[in-house]
Amino acid sequence: MPHHSRLSAAVLTATVVLSSLLAGCGDDAGDEDLTRQRLDWKDCPSPSQEQGGGGSPSPLPDGDAWQCATMKTPLDWDRPDGETIDLALIRARASGPDSARIGSLVFNFGGPGGSGVTTLPAFGQDYARLRTRYDLVSFDPRGVGRSAPVRCLSDRRLDAYFQQDATPDDGAERAELLENTREFNAACEQNSGKILPHVRTTDAARDMDLMRQVLGDGRLHYFGISYGTELGAVYAHLFPKNVGRAVFDAVVDPTQTSEQGSLGQAEGFQRALDNYAEDCTSKAEDCPVGDTPQDVKDRIARLLKDLDSRPIPGIFPRDLTQTAATSGIAQSLYSKDFWEYLTEGLEGAYDGDGRVLMVLSDSLNGRGENGEYSNLTAANTAINCADDKPRYDTAYVQGRLPEFRRASALFGDFLAWGMLGCTDWPVAGAADHPDVRAPGAPPILVIGTTGDPATPYEGARRMADALGEGVGVELTYEGEGHGAYTGESPCVREAVDRYLLDGTVPAGGTVCS
């Protein structure tokens, strides 16, 4: 977990890294009407380093190719006729007959900081039914991937940054953590000062409305996951009459400050760890990492305490530190599919082998096997710090530690100290929390998962309420993981498909298990 104001909620993006183990500023729009630009769709290039690297997306199951394009958008939405930046887009054309096509369905997979251009093809098969009536479209939001990417530290310095002690025990360690945070933030300003004031969620929402027009759609049909739910809700607030059919999955709580969000994540990750420990020890065969749920958690706590002073070999030449191990454990809790890797990683670590936990940690932080990082952490920090008004100092965090530790013995310190992420950030934060009131918008389907660690379940109800009466329609999935649609519930999938394909809104309060 990098030191941002919150843990990145970009599991889908991280999964792409795990499973595979430039645009600049400068054009002047002048008098050009950006809504009339034509997109030049072509075969997709290989992803850039900022997007996470790797090869071009494989063709779709029916043999169709993914297509990529760039869209010009104003650098500064307060000066729409001024300088422009390029946003990277990707699409798969609808597979059904033209007569059945509804329009484009735009995806944002969260983070903030995740590349939609690399994530959508990795999960394209999961959305095959939706593709029968929509072009599937995603994009790298401004500051991300190929869209005027925020750049901060070099790869070598990022390796050291993610190894540092993120849970300081004394004055010297606290001073070092603060100094490292300031160094990271100063590097962002030095390398990307021009884009930093313009990466707020409100800017990205305005980009999406331009995208809607350029794609030729009267309304924006939208599928937002994790932070993508916040982006979608801000869009609905700004453009309620332009909202089409919209689904929010793994919902960010829009009523919380960054501190409350971090505290909620401490509770959420602890709940997911409790569920993992319960699951492992309830099986017929022995759980290799503990005899009882409490034993599992006690042994993990001892491991992390030992790693604080004595790291073990990770992936040469890096050691598995306490920070890297905590990040790896957190990454494995985003999805029940990763629990087996957590068991394997813990078994290895107890025997002095930190490789599996290190792979999980790298996945969370956007590090490829070649040692190159995507710009996930840089963009995540820049967007969170541009959005979130509060700035916290070491004395404030120290005072909050008891409450964070009550929320989670394992993740409390980690997420509390992460609140320093925006200290001395060069751009002021916009607000305490986003405004998502959307009177006049059509129904928006809001899905909360009871075992979600990164966007705890309670946030879905608050989002539905905040959107307003007749707008937010809540659906509950009683299950594990961050994001329900691509999970194990046919009930969730059918409810979403019926809404997006046929316009049938499920009854508010529907529960799927």
Side-chain angles (χ1 to χ4, degrees), residues 45 80 206 234 302 361 366 410 449 473:
R206 291 190 166 93
V234 167
R302 278 201 301 278
S361 173
L410 196 77
T449 297
V473 178

Side-chain angles (χ1 to χ4, degrees), residues 191-327:
N191 295 320
S192 303
K194 192 172 182 179
I195 188 74
L196 296 185
H198 306 297
V199 294
R200 295 194 168 104
T201 298
T202 48
D203 297 316
R206 291 190 166 93
D207 292 339
M208 287 207 303
D209 201 57
L210 176 61
M211 195 181 304
R212 170 190 67 77
Q213 297 169 77
V214 171
L215 291 169
D217 288 331
R219 289 175 175 249
L220 179 79
H221 305 296
Y222 181 75
F223 200 133
I225 298 143
S226 193
Y227 160 80
T229 66
E230 180 177 325
L231 174 58
V234 167
Y235 179 89
H237 171 69
L238 293 174
F239 306 104
K241 299 284 190 274
N242 297 349
V243 176
R245 296 174 188 173
V247 173
F248 296 171
D249 187 5
V251 183
V252 171
D253 186 338
T255 68
Q256 294 184 327
T257 63
S258 51
E259 177 186 346
Q260 291 165 330
S262 294
L263 188 63
Q265 283 198 331
E267 291 166 353
F269 276 94
Q270 186 62 47
R271 192 185 306 164
L273 184 71
D274 293 346
N275 293 344
Y276 159 76
E278 189 72 46
D279 179 76
C280 187
T281 54
S282 68
K283 296 192 165 123
E285 69 272 21
D286 288 342
C287 174
V289 292
D291 299 326
T292 64
Q294 193 56 50
D295 184 41
V296 171
K297 289 180 281 187
D298 288 345
R299 288 187 69 187
I300 293 173
R302 278 201 301 278
L303 171 71
L304 294 176
K305 191 168 188 305
D306 290 346
L307 290 172
D308 192 24
S309 52
R310 288 192 303 280
I312 59 174
I315 297 171
F316 185 80
R318 295 173 301 148
D319 285 339
L320 183 77
T321 60
Q322 182 189 49
T323 299
T326 309
S327 297

